[in-house]
């Protein structure tokens, strides 16, 4: 019996379930913007009208979940489109569908019988632009609706005429799973029954001009295919049983400027490789990297961006999948295990985070719904010439919400302890890397990007609100004021700022031949002029060992012995200078070649005593830095530092004191020439014996072993304006550290 012969009741006229031809054609052609208005169950008097679309099917039958037949649906003029009246059923009553094609028969759930996904509160917060856990609703979440297992999809595309989920499960046919638009927010949502974790998918969108756009990866996708493939993979939020409760409940607060912070910066893809130059997976890294960082005495590891990025050569700084740990090292759960392993070893994890720009790859965020959605629509503000990348529209509330939520996501789902925000300078200035006429001033006539400033402040405030132990670090290369001051005091709200000026000045000095250093003495001392204007990290980062810059060791002048001695002296100066510490991987053992992201570090160099010595020095510097309060307690307070001798330009000697809150002193003296200095008088504030705690020229580090074994007794002979002095032997190209004997 055909459905047109069924009646709502005895003597009643047949129920007309026919579709408007234009609507039927739009469904069949994939052009209908509101498929739920046509497909699925629609209540009428006496029952429901059911319409389904399954291209290639010859017949469609409504069946009970148990499998018994309810009613057959009539085919329409459009291939795969069926319609019919089912009497005696309510609109929310579950059913399934049975299809045939030739001799084949199969059953499916009807996607269009399921209700909405986003609740009223979600809609409200998304519309307001302050849904800071939007990743719990957007993206692809395996779930169960009405007892049926499947995946809930939600994506923002307010200017699209139609959005569909496509994948192997529907033969990448955008007509099959067109989504429901939530007009209040510009979101699109759909529950697709029968698919779960591991299913590959993308979004197919039709722009406002009616054209089908390139397939897009999920902006809130939690897992992506390994490059060069570009699809998202259904995975949901990370599933991991965390074992780091002790670490996270520890009273140590890394925001505390008085704590020792020594950071090992790592690119996971090239720290170490496996057989055949293969990437280590996250579990391999947990076995190899975690104990190494702990043994070396670093307090933190900082990971170059792990968000999925199609171009490996970008090192992660051109991300597409902001919510997806890169598949190059395994599953998201593997990354969670790596972070957990660091925490169980007592090591904090910082993550490079890139809200400053994103690539133009067609499957990414650019022109996502056919319009400048995530990027600023004005090329003067929405495009980076330097990197050929797009710039986010920080003034659009949905974009700011997306970015802030992404930063919080890593702190929440992966227990990350802090975010290092990349390229902050490029965000702060409207004229960044732009010539006259290529930028327009802000509403006050200035060059500051007020919207980016507001975004950065909001991010830092939200981090402080939701994750009060987490820290944020700014890579900001200009003199923009108050980067690391609280927003309540008019600052941007970061906890720390990279001291790029110190890095450039001191490296410039160290690259000079020692005979010429007398002319550049100020490069080693100028940093103290502004040392307390921000809470600084002293960075020797990856940027200093790429693009023809050579390695840290390679920058040092002289023969092989002098190169190593210079590097050791420099490390000694850096670790004792006010400011937290950061060094890029390989520098800690004197990597010879420039960093190559396609290969492992040259670990075989540790078979050579010179390299082993540098590594041992860095380990001992970290130990000393952590154990002696004077070397970290007042890092950001001028009360913790005094110059002793900056006037000896001719001999390139620099001496200073570090102090703790109890007034205990540590004396640091650097001799940046290859000439040992004997009976060198240094003024000290107190008498007694001063013990040489560390000497970068020690034999165990590969040095010549010139120094002050047993320490030196202070005499009441005033030098450098101090009541006491000690007579030291200054080893060549070395830094020595002396502490007062208890």
């Amino acid at each position: 019996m055909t459905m047109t012969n069924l009646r709502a009741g005895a003597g009643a006229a047949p129920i007309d379930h026919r579709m408007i031809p234009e609507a039927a054609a739009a469904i069949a052609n994939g052009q209908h913007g509101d498929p739920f208005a046509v497909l699925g169950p629609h209540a009428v008097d006496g029952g429901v009208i059911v319409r389904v679309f399954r291209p290639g099917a010859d017949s469609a039958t409504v069946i009970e979940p148990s499998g018994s037949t309810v009613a057959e649906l009539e085919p329409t003029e459009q291939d795969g489109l069926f319609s019919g009246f089912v009497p005696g059923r309510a609109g929310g009553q579950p059913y399934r569908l049975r299809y045939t094609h030739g001799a084949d028969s199969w059953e499916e759930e009807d996607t269009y019988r399921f209700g909405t996904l986003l609740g009223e509160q979600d809609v409200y917060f998304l519309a307001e632009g302050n849904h800071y856990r939007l990743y719990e609703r957007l993206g692809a979440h395996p779930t169960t609706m009405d007892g049926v297992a499947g995946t809930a999809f939600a994506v923002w595309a307010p200017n699209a005429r139609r959005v569909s989920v496509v994948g192997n499960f529907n033969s990448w046919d955008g007509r099959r799973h067109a989504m429901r638009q939530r007009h209040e927010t510009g979101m699109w949502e759909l529950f697709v029954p029968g698919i779960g974790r591991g299913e590959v998918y993308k979004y197919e969108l039709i722009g406002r001009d009616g054209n089908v756009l390139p397939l897009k990866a999920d902006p809130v996708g939690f897992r992506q295919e390994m490059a060069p493939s570009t699809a998202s993979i259904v995975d949901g939020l990370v599933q991991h049983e965390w074992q780091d409760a002790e670490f996270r409940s520890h009273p140590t607060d890394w925001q505390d400027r008085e704590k020792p912070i020594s950071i090992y910066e790592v690119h996971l893809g090239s720290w170490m490789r496996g057989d055949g130059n293969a990437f280590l997976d996250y579990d391999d890294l947990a076995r190899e990297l975690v104990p190494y960082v702990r043994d070396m005495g670093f307090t933190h590891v900082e990971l170059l961006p792990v968000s999925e990025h199609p171009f490996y050569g970008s090192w992660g700084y051109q991300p597409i999948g902001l919510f997806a740990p890169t598949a190059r090292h395994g599953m998201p759960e593997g990354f969670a295990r790596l972070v957990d392993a660091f925490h169980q070893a007592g090591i904090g994890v910082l993550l490079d985070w890139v809200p400053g720009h994103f690539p133009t790859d067609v499957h990414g965020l650019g022109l996502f719904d056919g319009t400048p959605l995530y990027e600023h629509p004005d090329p003067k503000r929405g495009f980076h010439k330097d990197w050929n990348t797009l710039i986010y529209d920080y003034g659009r509330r949905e974009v700011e919400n997306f970015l802030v939520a992404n930063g919080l996501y890593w702190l929440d789902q992966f227990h990350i302890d802090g975010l290092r925000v990349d390229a902050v300078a490029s965000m702060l200035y409207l004229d960044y890397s732009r010539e006259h006429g290529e930028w327009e001033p802000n509403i006050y006539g200035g060059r500051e990007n007020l919207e980016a400033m507001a975004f950065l402040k909001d991010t830092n405030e939200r981090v402080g609100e939701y994750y009060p132990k987490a820290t944020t670090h700014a890579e900001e290369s200009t003199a923009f004021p108050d980067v690391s001051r609280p927003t309540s005091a008019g600052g941007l709200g970061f906890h720390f700022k990279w001291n790029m000026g110190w890095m450039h000045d001191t490296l410039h000095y160290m690259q000079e031949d020692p005979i010429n250093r007398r002319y550049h003495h100020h490069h080693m001392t100028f940093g103290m002029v502004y040392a307390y204007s921000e809470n600084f990290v002293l960075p020797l980062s990856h940027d200093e060992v790429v693009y023809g810059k050579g390695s840290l060791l390679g920058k040092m002048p002289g023969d092989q012995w002098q190169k190593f001695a210079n590097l050791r002296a420099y490390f000694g100066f850096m670790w004792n200078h006010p400011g937290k510490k950061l060094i890029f991987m390989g520098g800690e053992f004197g990597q010879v070649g420039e960093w190559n992201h396609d290969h492992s570090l040259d670990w075989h160099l540790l078979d050579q005593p010179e390299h082993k010595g540098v590594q041992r020095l860095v380990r001992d510097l970290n130990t000393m830095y952590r154990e002696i309060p004077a070397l970290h307690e007042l890092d950001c307070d001028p009360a913790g530092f005094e110059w002793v001798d900056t006037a000896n330009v001719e001999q390139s000697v620099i001496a200073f004191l570090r102090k703790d809150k109890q007034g205990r002193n540590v004396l640091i003296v650097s001799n940046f020439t290859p000439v040992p200095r004997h009976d060198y008088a240094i003024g000290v504030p107190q008498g007694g014996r001063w013990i040489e705690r560390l000497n970068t020229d020690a034999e165990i580090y590969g040095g010549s072993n010139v120094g002050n074994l047993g320490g030196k007794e202070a005499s009441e002979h005033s030098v450098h304006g101090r009541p006491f002095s000690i007579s030291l032997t200054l080893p060549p190209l070395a830094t020595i550290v002396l502490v007062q004997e208890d």
Side-chain angles (χ1 to χ4, degrees), residues 377-417:
D378 183 353
K380 292 182 178 180
R381 299 183 63 179
F383 187 75
H384 266 309
K385 295 192 305 177
D386 290 356
W387 305 312
N388 290 321
T389 53
L390 299 170
I391 303 171
Y392 291 102
D393 186 354
Y394 303 110
R396 187 164 188 166
R397 66 179 186 275
E398 297 95 341
V399 174
E400 188 201 27
N401 191 179
F402 170 79
L403 291 172
V404 174
N406 177 250
L408 299 177
Y409 164 80
W410 294 99
L411 305 178
D412 174 29
Q413 292 294 301
F414 292 98
H415 291 197
I416 296 298
D417 302 292

Side-chain angles (χ1 to χ4, degrees), residues 13 15 75 77 90 109 132 162 196 319 385 431-432 468 482 499 508 514 602 616 623 640 664 714 727 735:
I15 297 296
E77 294 180 357
E109 296 286 346
Y132 298 119
R162 188 261 288 166
K385 295 192 305 177
D431 63 344
Y432 182 86
D482 299 328
N499 194 337
H508 175 82
D602 294 331
R616 182 168 182 173
T623 300
R664 291 179 294 233
S727 180
T735 296

Side-chain angles (χ1 to χ4, degrees), residues 258 628-630 632-634 639-640 658-665 686 740:
E258 298 180 359
I628 300 179
H632 61 257
E633 200 169 59
L634 298 176
R658 298 297 306 278
K659 301 179 178 184
D660 64 18
K661 291 192 290 187
Q662 283 69 46
R664 291 179 294 233
N665 295 280
Q686 295 169 328
Q740 196 170 16

Side-chain angles (χ1 to χ4, degrees), residues 196-393:
R197 292 180 185 270
E199 196 73 50
V200 173
Y201 73 99
K202 281 188 175 181
Y203 292 114
E204 181 183 277
L205 299 91
I206 293 179
R208 57 173 46 153
D209 60 1
N211 292 322
V212 178
L213 303 175
L215 296 182
K216 295 289 187 177
D218 192 340
V220 192
F222 306 116
R223 185 178 159 206
Q224 287 197 5
E225 288 185 306
M226 174 83 81
S229 298
T230 58
S232 301
I233 302 175
V234 175
D235 204 55
L237 296 175
V238 65
Q239 296 181 336
H240 175 68
E241 294 184 9
W242 291 90
Q243 306 296 317
D244 62 351
E246 181 178 354
F247 177 86
R248 286 168 64 84
S249 63
H250 194 273
T252 295
D253 185 351
W254 295 118
Q255 295 178 7
D256 190 343
R257 298 175 302 169
E258 298 180 359
K259 300 298 182 185
I261 296 178
S262 181
I263 304 165
Y264 187 57
E265 188 187 31
V266 174
H267 178 249
L268 293 178
S270 58
W271 179 76
M272 183 180 289
R273 292 287 184 99
D275 293 340
N277 202 37
F279 291 121
L280 298 185
D281 66 25
Y282 291 119
D283 292 319
D284 292 331
L285 289 162
R287 285 187 290 270
E288 300 290 343
L289 178 59
V290 172
Y292 180 77
V293 175
R294 178 177 56 189
D295 176 66
M296 288 299 296
F298 291 98
T299 64
H300 289 73
V301 65
E302 180 174 311
L303 306 178
L304 268 62
V306 301
S307 296
E308 194 58 83
H309 46 286
F311 176 44
Y312 176 66
S314 76
W315 317 324
Y317 290 102
Q318 294 192 13
I320 288 288
L322 266 66
F323 291 81
T326 177
R328 293 174 177 89
H329 306 290
M331 300 278 285
E333 285 76 16
F335 180 64
R337 290 192 295 271
L338 174 61
V339 175
D340 207 347
F342 273 119
H343 286 174
Q344 292 177 59
I347 298 164
V349 181
L350 306 176
L351 187 66
D352 247 344
W353 185 50
V354 189
H357 61 133
F358 60 96
T360 59
D361 299 63
V362 294
H363 69 286
L365 299 179
L367 297 175
F368 187 81
D369 63 0
T371 68
L373 187 62
Y374 289 90
E375 67 270 37
H376 198 286
D378 183 353
K380 292 182 178 180
R381 299 183 63 179
F383 187 75
H384 266 309
K385 295 192 305 177
D386 290 356
W387 305 312
N388 290 321
T389 53
L390 299 170
I391 303 171
Y392 291 102
D393 186 354

Side-chain angles (χ1 to χ4, degrees), residues 502-548:
W502 177 92
M503 178 269 296
H504 286 298
D505 284 349
T506 58
L507 279 178
H508 175 82
Y509 177 88
M510 293 305 300
Q511 291 178 84
E512 290 289 340
D513 188 289
I515 200 171
N516 295 323
R517 285 176 176 167
R518 69 188 74 181
Y519 307 115
H520 303 275
H521 202 71
H522 63 285
H523 283 121
M524 296 299 273
T525 60
F526 182 68
M528 290 309 301
V529 172
Y530 58 88
Y532 304 107
S533 62
E534 301 279 2
N535 304 324
F536 279 124
V537 173
L538 308 181
L540 294 177
S541 75
H542 65 279
D543 280 328
E544 307 317 309
V545 293
V546 290
Y547 299 139

Side-chain angles (χ1 to χ4, degrees), residues 657 662-666 682-690 712-716 722-726 740-741:
L657 290 171
Q662 283 69 46
R664 291 179 294 233
N665 295 280
V666 175
I682 293 284
V684 291
Q686 295 169 328
R689 179 166 290 275
W690 290 74
K712 293 288 183 176
E713 192 74 29
S715 66
E716 295 184 12
R722 286 170 172 75
F724 300 90
S725 64
I726 53 179
Q740 196 170 16
E741 189 175 45

